[in-house]
Amino acid sequence: MVLKIGKIEIPKWAMLAFVAVLIMTAIYIPFASGDPDGLEKTLEEEGVPEPEEVWNAPFHFGGSFLSDFAGVLLGMILCFVVAYIFYVTPKKKA
Amino acid sequence: MHIPDGLIPYWQAGIYYLIAIVFWAISFKKVSEELSEKQIPLLGILAAGLFAAQYVNYPIPGGTSGHLVGAALAAAFVGPYGAIVAITIVLIIQSTYGDGGITTLGVNTLNMGIVAGFIGYYLYVWLKQVLSRRENAEAIAIGIAGWVSIVIASFICALELAAGGVVPLKTAVIAMVGWHAIIGIGEAVISAAVLIYVKSTAPDLLELPKIGPEKPILGVS
């Protein structure tokens, strides 16, 4: 089975893998740690202040399960689409 | 390990951008030339999966947390150049979420894509050969390669922080490598689990051609 969206063909295994990763991440979201990561902890321990933002990132997610889930879903779709479009176009031309 | 905008001096971020641009040019060219039809959705799934895995942090004792970087794991499927492309896509999307940064896209690609991807890939291939007689050799190899790739990437990151005058060198190395030696255990476990699962369900995905340098590095190709 292949899902066709315009020139893009997505095989069944890829769709299943996408959904499986999304479900596993959604299950883990309530248990995710809000503690600083390794770099943030190092900076925190050394008293390095957070740098000022140089631009306003367009997407802001977090604070609730639904917001995090939406963030993961959107990010996954964007990553998948960017990787796909970028390479499917020259392959199709070839 | 995402260095945010404004943490290191812009001139330094510019140097890392130049290094990254060289690897981006080679990686994107090689991947667009060599990626097979079957590897296109694989690259998409790798990028999407790494984004999801990096979105949720797992807790680490000592009041910190970590997340999968996944460069070694991605390289095991699509080679080091493929891993650089997948990690770059993830970093670009993450920067629109305020994670990492625009000015630091080069340095983050250098640490998490280039350093972790190349070290992870070549160590994985070498260990797979060395451990070939053992059961689950690939899973053990990717676990070790994932851990080492994270620790070395964190060491490079510590050098960059020290070079930028953010944290003294000794402190940066001890703290970054120390924390990531623990965080890397999660990387090892998750990478090995993914490889075991893929090997049992779709082993052909691991046998697809890898996109990397044509000449072997230290006898490993």
Side-chain angles (χ1 to χ4, degrees):
Chain A
M1 189 183 124
V2 173
L3 175 67
K4 281 191 176 181
I5 305 169
K7 287 182 176 179
I8 300 173
E9 293 177 0
I10 306 170
K12 185 183 173 186
W13 68 264
M15 289 187 282
L16 289 174
F18 188 97
V19 172
V21 171
L22 182 64
I23 290 171
M24 281 192 291
T25 309
I27 291 169
Y28 189 72
I29 284 173
F31 307 102
S33 174
D35 287 335
D37 67 15
L39 173 61
E40 290 164 345
K41 185 74 176 174
T42 301
L43 299 176
E44 198 179 278
E45 285 174 343
E46 288 304 304
V48 179
E50 272 192 34
E52 284 186 28
E53 290 181 6
V54 298
W55 76 307
N56 288 321
F59 300 124
H60 295 278
F61 293 99
S64 69
F65 173 81
L66 280 180
S67 178
D68 277 325
F69 181 76
V72 172
L73 178 60
L74 177 66
M76 285 181 68
I77 290 171
L78 288 173
C79 286
F80 191 79
V81 168
V82 169
Y84 232 88
I85 287 178
F86 205 85
Y87 289 101
V88 92
T89 310
K91 291 283 169 193
K92 286 287 174 188
K93 280 178 187 169
Chain B
M1 211 189 300
H2 295 69
I3 296 180
D5 284 321
L7 187 64
I8 57 172
Y10 291 122
W11 65 266
Q12 200 182 331
I15 292 171
Y16 301 133
Y17 247 107
L18 291 177
I19 298 169
I21 284 169
V22 172
F23 280 90
W24 282 331
I26 299 167
S27 302
F28 279 82
K29 184 175 181 289
K30 291 274 282 182
V31 171
S32 64
E33 284 172 357
E34 296 179 20
L35 202 71
S36 66
E37 286 286 341
K38 190 160 187 179
Q39 281 174 308
I40 297 170
L42 178 59
L43 190 77
I45 285 296
L46 283 171
L50 292 183
F51 180 90
Q54 291 190 9
Y55 192 95
V56 284
N57 282 26
Y58 46 81
I60 300 291
T64 185
S65 68
H67 60 69
L68 184 84
V69 170
L73 183 63
F77 285 98
V78 289
Y81 289 145
I84 290 171
V85 169
I87 293 284
T88 300
I89 291 169
V90 171
L91 288 172
I92 291 169
I93 303 300
Q94 283 173 336
S95 69
T96 66
Y97 280 57
D99 195 10
I102 293 292
T103 63
T104 52
L105 185 62
V107 68
N108 288 327
T109 301
L110 174 63
N111 298 341
M112 288 185 273
I114 300 165
V115 172
F118 269 90
I119 288 172
Y121 176 73
Y122 284 101
L123 190 57
Y124 163 70
V125 172
W126 179 72
L127 284 170
K128 206 170 64 165
Q129 291 166 358
V130 171
L131 301 167
S132 60
R133 289 183 183 176
R134 288 183 68 117
E135 201 180 340
N136 282 330
E138 283 164 326
I140 297 167
I142 197 63
I144 296 170
W147 184 85
V148 172
S149 70
I150 294 307
V151 171
I152 292 181
S154 72
F155 175 72
I156 301 296
C157 186
L159 297 182
E160 292 156 354
L161 293 176
V166 180
V167 184
L169 179 63
K170 191 178 171 186
T171 313
V173 170
I174 292 170
M176 283 296 287
V177 174
W179 284 119
H180 285 90
I182 305 168
I183 291 168
I185 296 169
E187 177 93 14
V189 171
I190 296 169
S191 300
V194 170
L195 213 81
I196 289 169
Y197 179 74
V198 172
K199 203 180 171 191
S200 64
T201 54
D204 54 318
L205 290 179
L206 282 166
E207 305 303 325
L208 296 170
K210 309 295 183 273
I211 306 165
E214 283 160 18
K215 291 180 181 174
I217 295 179
L218 297 173
V220 182
S221 59

